[in-house]
Amino acid sequence: MELQQFPSSHEISVAIPAQEKPNKPLRIRHKSVQFEDPFTSEDDPRLICINDPRRTNDKYEFTGNEIRTSKYTVITFLPKNLFIQFHRLAYLYFLAIAALNQLPPLAVFGRTVSLFPLLFVLFVTAIKDGYEDWRRHRSDRKENNREALVMQSGEFRTKKWKSICAGEVVKIHSDEMIPCDIVLLGTSDPNGIAYIQTMNLDGESNLKTRYARQETTSMACEEGTFSGLIKCEQPNRNIYEFTATMEFNGQRIPLGQSNIILRGCQLKNTDWVIGVVVYAGQETKAMMNSTASPSKRSKLESYMNRETLWLSVFLFVMCAVVATGMGLWLKSHMHQLDTLPYYRRKFFTRGRDNGKDYKFYDIPMEIFFSFLSSVIIFQIMIPISLYITMELVRLGQSYFMIEDRRMYDSSSDSRFQCRSLNINEDLGQIRYVFSDKTGTLTENKMEFQRASVYGKDYGNPLNVISHSLCQTNTQEALGGQRSKLKSEMNVDPELVALLHRDLVEDERIAAHEFFLTLAACNTVIPMTSRCSSPGSANEVHEVEAIDYQGESPDEQALVTAASAYGYTLVERTTGHIVIDVNGEKIRLDVLGLHEFDSVRKRMSVVIRFPNNSVKVLVKGADSSMLSILDIKSDSRFVNSLAAKIRHATENHLSNYSSQGLRTLVIASRDLNDAQFREWQEKYEEASTSITERSAKLRQAAALVECNLNLLGATAIEDKLQDGVPEAIEALRQAGMKVWVLTGDKQETAISIGLSCRLLTQSMNQIIINGTSEDECRRLLIDAKAKYGIKSADSRNGIMKLKTSSACEFLNIPKSRTRTSLIPDNGPQNLNYAGAATDISEFCGEKGLGLIDNSLALIIDGNSLVYILEKDLESELFDLATSCAVVLCCRVAPLQKAGIVDLIKSGTNDMTLAIGDGANDVSMIQMADVGVGISGQEGRQAVMASDFAMGQFRFLKRLLLVHGHWNYQRVGYLVLYNFYRNAVFVLMLFWYILYTAFSATSALTDWSSVFYSVIYTSVPTIVVGILDKDLGHKTLLHYPKLYEAGHRQESYNMKLFWITMLDTLWQSLVLFYVPFFIYRNSSVDIWSMGSLWTIAVVVLVNAHLAMDIQRWVLITHVAVWGSILITFMCMVIIDSIPLFPNFWTIYNLATTITYWLSILLITILALLPRFLYKVIHQIYWPSDIQIAREAEILRKLPKQLGLTPDDDVS
Amino acid sequence: MNTTGVPAPGSDGATDGSAPRRNSKKPKYSRFTQQELPACKPLLTPGIVIATFAIIGIVFIPIGLISLSASKNVVEVVDRYDADCIPDQLYDDKLSFIRSSETNKTCTRKLVVPKYMKSPIHVYYQLDNFYQNHRRYVKSRSDKQLQTTASEHETKLCEPEGTTADGSAIVPCGLIAWSLFNDTYTFSVNKKATPVNKKNIAWQSDKKHKFGSNVYPKNFQNGALIGGAKLNASIPLSEQEDLIVWMRTAALPTFRKLYGRIEVDIAANEEITVVIENNYNTYSFGGTKKLVLSTATWIGGKNNFLGLAYLTIGGLCLFLALGFITLYFFKPRTLGDPSYLSWNRNPSGSPN
């Protein structure tokens, strides 16, 4: 969550509507947004009568509080599970084939045999589903049978969770779970505050405050007299928003997000709360949110489907050939059919059947049946089992990714997680990486680094000493102050010294107010806990440790800093705060608080000091603060001083932000009585209004947030995560484009970009920050013209940049006053093409652009509003795809998704989005691959992601190593499976041509069925999981090897056709070698079938063995074991006297010809493939091949083993 | 983790830095889970390529030579008689000739043995254009019925040759049995009658387990249309070896079936007189009939294909081995030279 400087839980609910109102046709809204269910209380409000569940539930059918996450019951399991299973096309295909086979004229296989594969698959899946559901049942039961205190006939009695219903009043004690969504009526705190932990909901571990309305707290005290009516919106899944009103004693009280606590949260640090149930069971927000994220399909799989279509064409052609052949044969033999010894159409018995046809319909019908029976025989041409194989393979691959110790994050104790099992191979083909900044590239652990107070810069790293030393001093100075911070930080002794002076000078007063603001102007809650710590003289004494719980890490950092400098926030309630200033406790009344929002970009508190003076303390982003500072001060002297301070502060600010620090401006203002009263009136009105509350509050804030006295500025460091620059460097070398989408402001974004080596100084920065559509258009066009970027019609691939070092580059100044380089360029009709050609001709002579001169595009959220909304998308696309780096700052969550969508729809390239916060959810869901960082900001991103990990740097390993492996493996797996099934089917096909097109199979039914299920399936799975072309060190050393995935080297049309040609050759060898060997012999059909079965199994396994790149024991067992198992199955099948093929293998195996045939088939069939492989490797070695040779022959550079980030765990 | 590539499990925790927590989710180290199992990584080095081709050549050529010589040693006499065994006057009406029960179907053929034939000499009949592998035909049998008397009525698959008009089962039922071959051959070498041993022409396994010793032919060839041979109803199926041979349906439309064995040697240029009872009707569908006398070696019958194929492939592989030797000699490529990597060869490639 980095949208603004003060992220808060309200941020999303505020930010989105703000962005959305002006640009409603934003394209992605329909797909990825889940936070925008509109409030429909006007249309159809939900009415809850407090403590009157009967009346509440009379009118409406509210659900009870029983939850059911399980899908089945014992009775519905079978039909429902089958129904769900048959949603998969593969199973329907199986079913259709099996059903066809049951028809008497088509019974190609034995009836039970044909059902075997389907039943097997169904059975396995059903067992798996059943087990999962049983576990869900168990956890549901546990959940439903928890107990809670519910108001029943005037007193609180325990009741099981499942029987709680809407309208009831419940009481929850500390550390208990919340059973349903309840509106707070009262708490143990007289001010109605309750603290909750929302870990289960969004994963944020800090405490959040919720309030009971003052009006209702009294009601909670005198138990038993609850009444009132709540009108609230219909259940929705937006956990950040709640809008309702309560009618109580004739008053209308507005209720909002801060008055509701949701199911799944836990009550903390509050003795008890009393609340009324508004949503129960499935209608709670937690349950509404528990739907799985939409499943994605891998790109390779969609290509695979294209090739499957080709296979279907082959299947159709083969069946058509058989059917036509059958028709022609029947026609030419029509006159003989009655008596033909091997056909015998007619009965010649003397009974009632005499002269009738036996199983013969007219020729068209026979052709039709012949077609269908060929479909049954050739069914495995469509490799349905491939889908199941792929699932197993991906499961295995995921296992290895999860188990990878190099992707384990010890700081958060989190492993890599695979949440989606469908897109492993996509990881090997990523072209665009969209990254969030805060929490993803950076740690989101804010550290107060510098401060500018009254125009003076403090905290310069040179004169900072360790806090631990300093604190002892401070403590001693303060006479044994007993509060201690849980975290330690460095302080600037100069500033400490300043703070210990008397409160007389302006500078001292400014510093005092500065730190008061830091301590007061926030929403942080101090949590005190007692703990013992060793004192200085080895004695253990009790100290009160303060832990600050806040929703924004920035605020926590500021409060912690204030505390380190002696301004410790020790208590906060709605009405007042207590600040410990160097040992002296000051109680300040909080008269009003304007929370941070994305429009104002600042926050303020109105505070009454003990001496009754009223002050506004404000902090905010520099852009929004500098404009509301007091500039028309009447005193000339003060004015010039103020101007000086202001100037110095501004210098400091730009200095800070160039170092990648997050800056805030601190200011204050005294309010006189009139101003205060005006504001108070407005504020009261606004905070009780139901409609447009936020707008009215904003107006109230505007009254006081003006003419401020500048106190200073703060700089907080957002630390880069370990290994981020290296990871980004590697990704870029691997041909990926890394885009950073951040909510930070432009300068911060650029500085972070520089520090993580995304940007280099020599890059040419194109900055787009227009404030109108025309301006954006002009900027885009100028940039395009300047760098000679063609408006390419074909949007695939990267355009070559026609830039050179000789060109003078456009570098739009960072200030807001830009001078256009081509002033005449209006938004309309420009001849870009001409300009572009000129430049390219001029620049082109010196050759293509080098890496150092590549372009970097920096664009801000405002411009994106205009660009994404209007028809400028294509311009942006052209420009952005030509740039090596794109930085988007100040972007809203939906814009992030919009940018991903822009690339996704414009190119065929794979996109990956990585982020950690709730604001990245839409982007993560939009991208082809979504990666969540399980970091500071909760689990929203992780829940929506396909893969989750602890650190950004693991992305390098995930993509370059696992992605590469998975892509290679799955690519080969698919091609091999096509081959494996096609070679078998073609072999059957050639035979059918020699059986008068009668669809006979020489193989036994069982062998046909077992072929893809038992004989050949295990090696493919094992190879798909375990085979590796290159070691991880090589892959990390040469990131460019990743481009094999971009070039689709493992799976493409050409490879498919080569494989199919190879398949054709191999099938011909398979069929004709035994054919010629046994042509003039007394061989029977079963012996031939047996030979073919063994030959094809040996052949496909030898084929696989030839392609395996890494033999481990398991591979050996799988490949050779499969052949062995085939022999064993053949022996078993041939040992049953009831089968016509009885004893075949025993007789065959004693002849030498049999073994010679198998050897001949295997060698002859694989010869062309081997030759192709050898020649290809000699003359056209791929990068992978060379790297592999180097790796095996140990020719890699020495330093390879020592690459720094290789083994950082 | 260490950096040498062969991680030592013991040193792992120490170098980690993170204190071992009790419930740490850190994956346990094993060579399997880290995909570091000792592995053999085959690489097509020039040596291996040349060796592979050379070995194939060296192995295949001798096998080819041996097979070819074995095939050459087989003496085979083939005589097609289906056309010649029809009297000239009936030549245009073969069907009525073969169907009539009055015509004399005895036919005498004289064969000259080109080379010395060592016993046992296998006597085969060969049929052409007879689709014993037709799906209707292959399925038209009841293995249960052949095995036990109890399953006599399992004739469902045998239609239209399953039951007689009154519904009683035909044993053995089905088209295969019905169309049993019924030409007979009587041999005499140099006017001396030479017996044909018709014992043990079928697989022992079939005789013992598939064809019941207490199952006797019943209602066989009683229908309006006689398909072929009749069976002696007093001999159990397990003894009816001609039937057993016939019921091992052939794989291809041209097939041979063992008729019997002559257990005397026949010298070269000796004349064999065969008296053929030409009963079997192949005329209706244009099939041909041949009589085959053949000696046997380990390779089976006369079959040059196997030897030739082995020789060809062996030769080809030797040639390829030589080819690759010259290739590597004249135009070698250093294996694993990073300068061959695409981005090193073409540094001006697109800058990404």
Side-chain angles (χ1 to χ4, degrees), chain B residues 21 68 114 155 178 184 205 267 308 321 346:
Chain B
R21 257 175 288 176
L68 207 57
T155 60
W178 171 75
T184 58
S205 55
L308 286 175
N346 180 21

Side-chain angles (χ1 to χ4, degrees), chain A residues 358 405 415 991 1033 1179 1183 1188, chain B residues 5 12 25 42 251 327 342:
Chain A
Y358 168 70
R405 286 166 68 92
R415 289 184 185 200
Y991 183 64
K1033 285 185 184 137
Y1179 288 112
D1183 292 340
R1188 186 172 139 78
Chain B
D12 219 71
K25 285 189 198 148
L327 241 167
S342 61

Side-chain angles (χ1 to χ4, degrees), chain B residues 153-212:
Chain B
H153 293 284
E154 304 223 359
T155 60
K156 206 162 154 272
L157 290 171
C158 291
E159 296 298 345
E161 213 34 57
T163 51
T164 56
D166 55 3
S168 54
I170 298 172
V171 183
C173 71
L175 288 184
I176 308 180
W178 171 75
S179 61
L180 179 60
F181 187 74
N182 59 353
D183 285 5
T184 58
Y185 312 113
T186 320
F187 294 89
S188 49
V189 183
N190 290 338
K191 309 279 185 324
K192 200 177 104 210
T194 311
V196 176
N197 184 358
K198 289 184 69 76
K199 285 274 171 243
N200 293 328
I201 55 174
W203 292 5
Q204 289 303 311
S205 55
D206 283 354
K207 286 166 70 179
K208 278 194 189 131
H209 302 287
K210 273 197 78 66
F211 291 80

